[in-house]
Amino acid sequence: MRVQTPRLELIASTAEMARAEIEDRGRLARLTGARVPAGWPPPLNDAASLDYAVRYLERDPANVGWGVWYFALPAPAELLLIGKGGFKGRYSPDGTVEVGYSVMEDKQRQGYGTEAAGGMIAWAFSHPEVNRVIAETYPDLRASIRVMENNGMRFLGIGSEEGIVRYGITRNEFAKRPSPLR
């Protein structure tokens, strides 16, 4: 499953891709069709989150799309993985889903995080069951907050843990914005 934005290709991870990310980066490159850069994964992706992604996708292959997405930048000869993000599972009974994102440090401050998050939000809202997309971050991570605000998300208050803030956007609010997809 792939989503196109103006500059990126977003690739939904399968269980096989998630396992390859842990075990064999060469296999991840073959499966995604994109070069995996030195220093992979991007910030805030630890062993526990990688392990969780594998278990989530292995438990139910229908979870593809509701887990990890890889962000690939077309390079002259190939795609290049520049970040990853995704959802913390399927939408809740009230139609809320949480999105997250991270971009390799050398690709930050170029709008890729905003573009990738916008593509994932658009994909989520393509499912009629989704009514709201939220994201959480630390209040001192200004770049992360800019990504949310650039996608029309507004401050909702405190997040799920102490010291975390939450932003969100509804389906109706998102519908009033230009499409982030190509």
Side-chain angles (χ1 to χ4, degrees), residues 2-180:
R2 295 177 184 242
V3 170
Q4 301 286 323
T5 67
R7 299 181 297 164
L8 299 173
E9 186 167 321
L10 309 181
I11 305 163
S13 179
T14 63
E16 185 179 11
M17 288 176 189
R19 183 158 300 289
E21 184 174 3
I22 295 170
E23 297 173 353
D24 181 354
R25 302 265 169 87
R27 193 166 96 235
L28 176 62
R30 288 188 298 281
L31 292 169
T32 60
R35 184 166 57 85
V36 180
W40 186 265
L44 306 174
N45 287 275
D46 58 15
S49 66
L50 295 173
D51 213 33
Y52 174 81
V54 171
R55 288 190 321 273
Y56 178 73
L57 292 165
E58 284 179 342
R59 186 170 54 243
D60 184 354
N63 288 334
V64 169
W66 298 109
V68 173
W69 287 78
Y70 297 104
F71 312 155
L73 180 65
E78 63 189 344
L79 291 171
L80 170 67
L81 294 185
I82 63 162
K84 65 187 270 192
F87 300 99
K88 287 189 176 179
R90 291 181 176 273
Y91 44 86
S92 66
D94 74 352
T96 298
V97 67
E98 184 174 347
V99 68
Y101 41 84
S102 182
V103 174
M104 296 294 288
E105 289 181 359
D106 67 328
K107 299 298 183 194
Q108 292 177 3
R109 302 186 196 295
Q110 298 175 52
Y112 295 128
T114 295
E115 189 170 326
M120 290 186 301
I121 292 168
W123 182 86
F125 282 132
S126 74
H127 297 82
E129 303 87 357
V130 175
N131 298 313
R132 181 172 69 150
V133 176
I134 61 169
E136 294 187 338
T137 193
Y138 293 100
D140 60 322
L141 294 181
R142 290 297 313 151
S144 183
I145 291 172
R146 274 194 312 279
V147 166
M148 292 182 228
E149 291 173 340
N150 288 342
N151 278 295
M153 296 178 120
R154 58 187 165 71
F155 180 73
L156 298 177
I158 60 170
S160 59
E161 298 176 25
E162 187 174 328
I164 302 286
V165 293
R166 178 178 288 176
Y167 283 69
I169 189 167
T170 65
R171 171 183 294 283
N172 290 339
E173 292 166 336
F174 191 76
K176 295 175 186 172
R177 302 179 56 78
S179 174

